[in-house]
Amino acid sequence: SLEPVLDMSKLRDLNEPAILHNLRLIHANREVYVGIGSILLSVNPFQQLPIYTPDIMENYSRGEWKLRSHPHVYGVAQACYQGLIQNEANQACLVSGESGAGKTETVKLFMQYLAEKTQSEDMTTNPDSIHNGNVVTLQQRILQCNPLMEAFGNATTIR
């Protein structure tokens, strides 16, 4: 194929050469994200791209863009948020990659999306949201994770 396929489960041949060729096309097309089923792959563009704007965040938040048709870290964050709220089930997301691949930045974007999404959440009915007599919003709880994420992001890789 001469055009990048954003949902690689739709590739005619799903083998290593086809995946690598598609990733080259993704990178050449200045795309960052591609999906394979429920897995999101990102190709580090090594440059700033205008793909993390409030408008794009809003497209996922309102449900206008879906993870399958528009793979993006915001889509994964939205899916996790929906699972948390609608199913009242804990969610987990694994971010993996080599040193310098952008794992910490990806987690920051994920957390930023959740913080924005929950900005108006009212946690006053949740007894777990009260800490030292103060109401703690879900957004505050999410943002309190940042120092922990920074600690992992700044850790030294040992091989």
Side-chain angles (χ1 to χ4, degrees):
S1 172
L2 298 175
E3 295 293 320
V5 178
L6 296 179
D7 181 356
M8 289 205 298
S9 64
K10 295 181 179 177
L11 284 175
R12 187 177 54 180
D13 296 315
L14 192 57
N15 53 40
E16 186 176 354
I19 290 171
L20 291 175
H21 174 70
N22 193 56
L23 290 175
R24 276 190 214 94
L25 292 174
I26 294 288
H27 189 266
N29 205 42
R30 293 176 38 106
E31 298 281 349
V32 174
Y33 297 106
V34 63
I36 303 178
S38 63
I39 298 170
L40 180 70
L41 296 176
S42 67
V43 178
N44 191 337
F46 298 105
Q47 60 181 304
Q48 293 285 20
L49 297 175
I51 60 173
Y52 304 108
T53 65
D55 289 339
I56 291 175
M57 190 180 290
E58 193 63 30
N59 286 331
Y60 286 98
S61 184
R62 286 191 309 256
E64 294 175 14
W65 287 357
K66 301 292 182 192
L67 188 56
R68 291 268 180 172
S69 59
H70 295 87
H72 197 287
V73 66
Y74 292 162
V76 174
Q78 177 63 24
C80 287
Y81 179 79
Q82 284 179 320
L84 181 67
I85 299 302
Q86 293 174 355
N87 303 332
E88 296 182 4
N90 291 334
Q91 303 294 303
C93 183
L94 173 67
V95 179
S96 177
E98 293 185 8
S99 179
K103 298 177 297 295
T104 302
E105 291 304 313
T106 298
V107 171
K108 284 181 187 177
L109 291 165
F110 187 94
M111 301 299 275
Q112 174 191 16
Y113 181 89
L114 291 179
E116 289 292 324
K117 181 77 177 172
T118 60
Q119 181 175 351
S120 62
E121 284 289 324
D122 180 12
M123 298 298 291
T124 58
T125 58
N126 182 352
D128 293 336
S129 68
I130 300 174
H131 180 70
N132 294 334
N134 297 321
V135 174
V136 180
T137 66
L138 183 55
Q139 181 186 32
Q140 289 169 322
R141 291 166 59 185
I142 290 170
L143 292 175
Q144 288 172 349
C145 293
N146 277 341
L148 178 63
M149 299 314 300
E150 285 292 326
F152 279 110
N154 292 327
T156 302
T157 302
I158 300 174
R159 293 181 191 229

